Amino acid sequence: MNLSNTARYAIRVISYMAYNKKELYTASELVEALQISDKYLKRILTTLSQHHIIRSIQGRHGGFAITGRPEDITIYDIVAAIEVIDKYYGCVLGFEVCSDEHPCALHKKWAPIRDELVQFLNNNTIADVMTTEFNKF
Amino acid sequence: MNLSNTARYAIRVISYMAYNKKELYTASELVEALQISDKYLKRILTTLSQHHIIRSIQGRHGGFAITGRPEDITIYDIVAAIEVIDKYYGCVLGFEVCSDEHPCALHKKWAPIRDELVQFLNNNTIADVMTTEFNKF
DNA sequence: TTTAAATAATACATATAAGTAGTATTTAAA
DNA sequence: TTTAAATACTACTTATATGTATTATTTAAA
């Protein structure tokens, strides 16, 4: 499937934040813990807060906090915040229009797999990912 | 899933060649028919012939010909010729090692979908794709 | 044996994703 | 009100996929 690297990093951060149960994390703290490039992670954090998956507190005692409960944050939410989610709905063969009404040659076989894929993103949440194993990354 | 553009072009060319049942096609002829950039298509053709999906005849009366029967050329074959096929087997979360023995948090749920995906590529052939509809592209 | 018509190879250009650096802004303590 | 500690923004760099241009090689007809 190939989630983008950026999306994977995003999942890792949120997972880490949820797992360690602190209210507020500074960017530096997360950089330290997750070993992701400073500026890159900060940009990801800003993007995530713009999409209300986390909220940011600016200023001296600022940082980032998860907004919802881990079991309410889906992988889909995070991927949609980072990537253009449309591409997960597109035609395998690259046709502009490809639907049940105007199917490409593989549409009928592909559609169910694509649906499973989207369901996978929707059915799995940070609660499913935030294991010790994952945060050992 | 996102096959690369290049892979999609490759599928289109092979499909076109199979559908029109000519023995030999020149690159220019295929460029004309499929409206893909001249040099780009030629490079794709060379790659495909290096992977023995088509064979090339150099020189004055040269061109390209499909080597096998359409029903024997899988989408997987073509994608594997064009892309690094490994990425279709990788971990959703991006772990270096992720297997039944050392699974990531989502491995158990992801593995079956990934397998279906690979099966999809393997079970569908040019014979399945070479419809009029497709070649109207 | 020259030449035209084809493929092959190499190098260059452009677009996008990934990653980095520097500057601006915000906030509250000193 | 200055300053330190934080996030936000903008611009730059690097890597990879996509696409283009040029030159070399191959082949067979003239």
Side-chain angles (χ1 to χ4, degrees):
Chain A
M1 169 167 64
N2 294 313
L3 296 176
S4 70
N5 245 317
T6 313
R8 284 172 175 163
Y9 284 155
I11 296 171
R12 278 177 61 193
V13 184
I14 305 288
S15 169
Y16 179 87
M17 292 172 77
Y19 184 70
N20 290 80
K21 295 190 167 58
K22 273 182 55 179
E23 171 57 19
L24 211 62
Y25 298 84
T26 66
S28 323
E29 192 179 349
L30 295 168
V31 166
E32 173 76 20
L34 296 170
Q35 314 240 61
I36 299 170
S37 137
D38 183 64
K39 298 297 165 62
Y40 193 23
L41 219 205
K42 283 177 180 170
R43 221 174 45 175
I44 295 171
L45 289 167
T46 301
T47 303
L48 289 171
S49 82
Q50 283 166 343
H51 284 82
H52 307 293
I53 291 172
I54 56 180
R55 73 198 146 81
S56 74
I57 294 94
Q58 278 191 303
R60 185 137 188 181
H61 289 147
F64 297 92
I66 290 189
T67 48
R69 292 181 311 161
E71 55 271 35
D72 294 332
I73 305 170
T74 67
I75 302 299
Y76 187 96
D77 292 335
I78 298 175
V79 173
I82 301 289
E83 298 181 24
V84 178
I85 199 71
D86 291 13
K87 73 179 171 197
Y88 290 95
Y89 294 96
C91 170
V92 220
L93 294 176
F95 282 93
E96 285 276 322
V97 285
C98 175
S99 59
D100 291 347
E101 289 72 37
H102 294 284
C104 79
L106 298 183
H107 180 76
K108 205 166 175 177
K109 292 182 193 169
W110 174 246
I113 299 178
R114 188 197 57 191
D115 290 348
E116 271 188 81
L117 219 135
V118 171
Q119 283 309 308
F120 172 84
L121 297 177
N122 262 314
N123 292 340
N124 286 292
T125 70
I126 286 299
D128 298 310
V129 174
M130 51 185 271
T131 63
T132 317
E133 195 58 36
F134 187 72
N135 293 116
K136 238 172 47 188
F137 217 135
Chain B
M1 169 165 65
N2 294 313
L3 296 177
S4 70
N5 245 318
T6 313
R8 284 172 174 163
Y9 283 156
I11 296 171
R12 278 177 60 193
V13 184
I14 305 289
S15 169
Y16 179 87
M17 292 171 78
Y19 184 70
N20 290 79
K21 294 191 167 59
K22 274 181 53 179
E23 171 58 19
L24 211 63
Y25 298 83
T26 67
S28 323
E29 192 179 348
L30 295 168
V31 165
E32 173 75 18
L34 296 170
Q35 314 240 62
I36 299 170
S37 138
D38 183 64
K39 300 299 165 60
Y40 193 23
L41 218 206
K42 283 179 180 168
R43 222 175 45 176
I44 294 172
L45 289 166
T46 302
T47 303
L48 289 171
S49 83
Q50 283 165 343
H51 284 83
H52 307 293
I53 291 172
I54 54 182
R55 73 198 146 81
S56 75
I57 293 94
Q58 276 189 303
R60 185 136 187 183
H61 290 149
F64 297 92
I66 289 189
T67 49
R69 294 180 309 162
E71 54 270 37
D72 294 332
I73 306 171
T74 67
I75 302 298
Y76 187 96
D77 292 336
I78 298 175
V79 172
I82 301 289
E83 298 180 23
V84 178
I85 198 72
D86 291 14
K87 74 178 170 196
Y88 291 95
Y89 294 97
C91 170
V92 219
L93 294 175
F95 281 93
E96 286 275 323
V97 285
C98 174
S99 59
D100 292 345
E101 289 74 37
H102 295 284
C104 79
L106 298 182
H107 179 76
K108 205 166 176 177
K109 292 182 192 166
W110 174 246
I113 299 178
R114 188 195 58 192
D115 290 348
E116 272 188 83
L117 219 135
V118 171
Q119 283 309 308
F120 172 84
L121 297 177
N122 262 315
N123 291 341
N124 287 292
T125 70
I126 286 299
D128 298 312
V129 174
M130 50 187 272
T131 63
T132 317
E133 196 58 38
F134 187 73
N135 293 115
K136 236 173 46 189
F137 216 135

